[in-house]
């Protein structure tokens, strides 16, 4: 069962005091930083660091899967403005709980990754944006930052070199949209989390109008391992497509015997992860569907899931996304109408309200789903719902939230339509019931 | 107020919050970045953000009061009115629902006789359902103030409530 796991980012998790700097150093922590700044400082120029990350095929672990080295190369080298690094620890995509493990149980990994990124991008200041509900993880990160300052890994003139890097946390306050990078930047500027129009992209104009890189916690955590063992080693950890390098943390929940966060090579069959890593479906039930990458990714039927490969390309091949690697497993007892309602409720609650199509559309979607949940769906409701896509998705809104809503809800309806049709009320007085239900 | 919660009519940072704020000021080049932080401090001090505290935060961070109230109303963690001593927050998103969060909500309603958003008459408990807390692998989860209580069952939740009642 554990054979498929490949614990690299999670190497310390499970050890007593895994969050402490001592445990991290014992397993080779901060050696990558020492290589870059002292032992091998001729080799590790900023450009060489970026090239190594590019060659590793590391792709952003926050959801969009953008190649990390490429993102870093967009930061202008000649800008006179300060450059900022942000670690996205907002972790709000339903089904996702892997960053919490990194923050709480092994925070020095991504902190070292941020310091290295700081050197590569000539940034002197990083911020870690942690969702407000994560109080204990935040305390752990604060403690880790303190330890890193005490050891001289953070601060001015690290190891006596000309490199300085400072790190501070920022606490969110309960808003899923602040996981979107430009909303997050607005939030650090003390504002409502309204996403910005792009361009300008954050690499050019981000925090305080300065060049900014935003990466996920897990993305930064992979960086020290890439420096220590080389890009080739990292990219060949994966067993599938060339373009998806390394291991990935999967958050697996729902109807499995052994839910949790597992680090495995990218490219494994989804079914192996469910059966072998997570001990199969609870109570010996049959698999019905899988939400593969967080609630915003299109759902897969059991049939589709049985063929799916867990990397960026493999997920695209079955019409969905790897997303944040949040796998929600649904067994045969799952009520798909209730599922769609819960998902729709979430998006309506979390729409930031800036764009009319999203603000109004999420409410309509939720209201329709509520009618089906209450058994008073209308004949034309399902088609109307699918039509909303043209108003809410494909660039109709400032950020991809509108797309996410439709990708989350519409495939549930399309793939399990009969369950919705069974909740249509054809009686004469249905209009009364609908009005009464509000 | 009928539920015994007091409205706050005067406010300035506690000593502890004032020290924290001064520390934080050094970490951000622009003062407006401190708006969210200051509001967290207010809430640590008095549990919610009354009008007077919004004015105070505006003055401390150099932004307008409407900026501050815009922020308070945007973020769900800022309480617009007083909440109970213990805020029971039940996640009702997908994974928690699959693992029985409905039964937790029912247990609270039955035991404390309050609905979502309401506070008990003695001002001790407020109940809210909330969205995914990133605890899906150990669901269902109930957050009580700053602490997560994972793999909750209705029985364990009732015990927890009894325990908190004694405090
Ligand atoms: C609605 C929405 C929510 C998001 N939430 C998160 C999040 O919680 N954590 C995260 O790392 N990225 C999130 N993202 C993606 C970020 O915008 C951004 O792409 C990411 O932080 C970049 O880091 P990466 O390249 O390392 O993945 C979200 C995007 C959208 C549109
Ligand atoms: S669904 Fe409840 S913690 Fe994620």
């Amino acid at each position: 069962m554990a054979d498929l796991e490949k614990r690299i980012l999670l190497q310390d998790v499970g050890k007593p005091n895994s969050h402490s700097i001592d445990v991290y150093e014992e397993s080779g922590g901060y050696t990558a930083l020492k290589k870059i700044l002292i032992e091998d400082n001729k080799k590790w120029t900023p450009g060489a660091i970026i090239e190594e990350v590019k060659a590793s095929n590391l792709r952003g672990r926050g959801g969009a899967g953008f190649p990390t080295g490429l993102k870093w190369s967009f930061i202008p080298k000649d800008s006179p403005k300060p450059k900022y690094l942000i670690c996205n620890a907002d972790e709000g995509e339903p089904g996702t709980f892997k960053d919490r493990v990194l923050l709480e149980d092994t925070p020095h990994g991504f902190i070292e990754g941020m310091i290295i990124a700081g050197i590569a991008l000539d940034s002197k200041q990083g911020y870690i944006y942690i969702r407000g509900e994560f109080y204990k993880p935040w305390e752990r990160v604060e403690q880790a930052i303190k330890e890193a300052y005490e050891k001289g890994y953070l601060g001015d003139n690290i190891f006596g070199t000309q490199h300085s890097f400072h790190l501070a946390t920022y606490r969110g306050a309960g808003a899923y949209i602040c996981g979107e990078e430009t909303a997050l930047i607005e939030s650090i500027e003390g504002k409502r989390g309204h996403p910005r129009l792009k361009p300008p992209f954050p690499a050019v104009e981000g925090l305080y109008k300065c060049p900014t890189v935003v990466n996920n916690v897990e993305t930064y955590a992979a960086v020290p391992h890439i420096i220590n063992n080389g890009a080739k080693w990292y990219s060949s950890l994966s067993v599938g497509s060339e373009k998806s390098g390394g291991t990935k943390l999967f958050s697996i929940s729902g109807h499995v015997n052994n839910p949790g966060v597992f680090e495995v090579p990218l490219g494994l069959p989804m079914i192996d992860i469910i059966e072998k890593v997570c001990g199969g479906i609870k109570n010996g039930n049959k698999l019905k569907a899988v939400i593969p990458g967080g609630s915003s990714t299109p759902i897969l039927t059991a049939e589709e899931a049985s063929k799916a490969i867990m990397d960026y390309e493999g997920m695209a091949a079955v019409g969905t996304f790897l997303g944040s690697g949040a796998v929600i497993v649904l067994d045969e007892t799952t009520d798909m109408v209730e599922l769609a309602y819960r998902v729709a409720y979430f998006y309506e609650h979390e729409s930031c309200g800036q764009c009319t199509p999203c603000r109004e559309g999420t409410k309509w979607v939720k209201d329709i789903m509520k009618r089906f949940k209450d058994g008073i769906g209308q004949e034309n409701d399902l088609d109307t719902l699918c039509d909303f896509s043209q108003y809410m998705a494909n660039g109709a809104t400032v950020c991809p939230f509108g797309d996410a809503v439709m990708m989350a809800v519409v495939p549930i309806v399309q793939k399990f339509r009969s369950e919705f049709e069974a909740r249509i009320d054809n009686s004469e007085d249905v209009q009364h019931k609908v009005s009464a239900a509000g | 107020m009928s539920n015994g919660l007091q409205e706050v009519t005067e406010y300035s940072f506690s000593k502890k919050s004032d020290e924290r704020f001064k520390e934080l000021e050094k970490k951000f080049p622009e003062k407006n970045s401190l708006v969210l932080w200051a509001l967290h401090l207010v809430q640590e001090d008095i549990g919610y953000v009354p009008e007077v505290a919004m004015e105070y935060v505006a003055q401390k961070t150099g932004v307008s009061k409407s900026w501050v109230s815009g922020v308070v109303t945007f973020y769900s963690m800022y309480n617009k009115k007083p909440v109970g001593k213990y805020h029971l927050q039940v996640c009702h998103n997908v994974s928690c629902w699959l693992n029985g969060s409905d039964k937790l909500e029912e247990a609270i309603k039955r035991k404390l006789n309050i609905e979502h958003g309401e506070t008990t008459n003695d001002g001790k408990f407020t109940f809210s359902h909330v969205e995914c807390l990133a605890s899906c692998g150990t669901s269902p989860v109930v957050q009580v103030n700053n602490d997560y209580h994972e793999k909750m069952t209705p029985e364990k939740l009732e015990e927890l409530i009894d325990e908190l009642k004694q405090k």
Side-chain angles (χ1 to χ4, degrees), chain A residues 300-371:
Chain A
L300 298 175
T301 62
E303 161 79 21
E304 291 165 328
S306 71
K307 295 180 293 206
I309 296 295
M310 298 298 280
D311 61 18
Y312 299 93
E313 292 73 22
M315 288 289 107
V318 289
T320 188
F321 298 95
L322 193 71
S324 58
V327 182
I328 307 175
V329 179
L330 307 161
D331 77 7
E332 56 188 323
T333 65
T334 311
D335 175 352
M336 299 316 250
V337 176
E338 178 78 27
L339 172 72
Y341 170 70
R342 299 261 163 173
V343 170
Y345 186 101
F346 168 75
Y347 288 99
E348 195 255 348
H349 186 259
E350 298 297 336
S351 171
C352 83
Q354 180 178 211
C355 309
T356 312
C358 176
R359 184 182 62 239
E360 300 301 316
T362 48
K363 180 160 187 336
W364 289 346
V365 172
K366 186 192 88 174
D367 288 348
I368 291 180
M369 288 302 122
K370 177 83 165 53
R371 288 207 282 277

Side-chain angles (χ1 to χ4, degrees), chain A residues 36-106:
Chain A
I36 288 173
L37 287 182
I38 311 171
E39 292 152 24
D40 252 341
N41 60 2
K42 294 249 159 37
K43 174 183 170 196
W44 291 113
T45 59
I49 299 171
I50 297 176
E51 282 312 310
E52 198 74 16
V53 173
K54 265 191 194 165
S56 74
N57 289 331
L58 172 64
R59 295 172 60 165
R61 303 301 194 219
F66 194 83
T68 305
L70 185 62
K71 182 187 278 187
W72 291 7
S73 69
F74 294 153
I75 291 286
K77 287 180 191 59
D78 44 7
S79 168
K81 294 180 183 171
K83 300 172 183 106
Y84 291 106
L85 277 192
I86 294 174
C87 174
N88 189 342
D90 195 49
E91 188 155 74
E93 175 75 12
T96 317
F97 48 101
K98 46 119 191 155
D99 294 337
R100 185 176 154 212
V101 173
L102 298 175
L103 299 164
E104 219 171 284
D105 296 338
T106 182

Side-chain angles (χ1 to χ4, degrees), chain A residues 264-314:
Chain A
V264 296
L266 276 168
L268 290 178
M270 177 184 274
I271 218 68
D272 283 356
I273 295 182
I274 295 175
E275 292 294 334
K276 296 181 185 157
V277 179
C278 296
I281 312 289
K282 266 197 210 167
N283 306 320
N285 284 350
K286 281 218 288 286
L287 179 67
K288 181 172 190 178
V290 179
I291 300 176
S295 74
S296 306
T297 59
I299 195 167
L300 298 175
T301 62
E303 161 79 21
E304 291 165 328
S306 71
K307 295 180 293 206
I309 296 295
M310 298 298 280
D311 61 18
Y312 299 93
E313 292 73 22

Side-chain angles (χ1 to χ4, degrees), chain A residues 147-173:
Chain A
E147 288 172 338
Y149 268 106
E150 281 165 6
K151 291 259 181 163
Y153 299 139
L154 282 171
D156 290 329
N157 305 102
I158 304 170
F159 307 144
T161 65
Q162 88 279 16
H163 291 286
S164 303
F165 191 68
H166 292 268
L167 205 46
T169 61
Y170 200 85
R171 287 185 66 209

Side-chain angles (χ1 to χ4, degrees), chain A residues 93-97 100 131 253 328, chain B residues 90-97 101 130-141 148:
Chain A
E93 175 75 12
T96 317
F97 48 101
R100 185 176 154 212
R131 67 178 292 180
S253 67
I328 307 175
Chain B
V90 181
C91 171
H92 71 162
N93 210 299
V94 174
S95 300
C96 284
W97 160 63
S101 62
V130 294
E131 297 304 335
C132 180
L133 291 170
S135 187
C136 330
T138 43
S139 60
V141 59
Y148 279 24

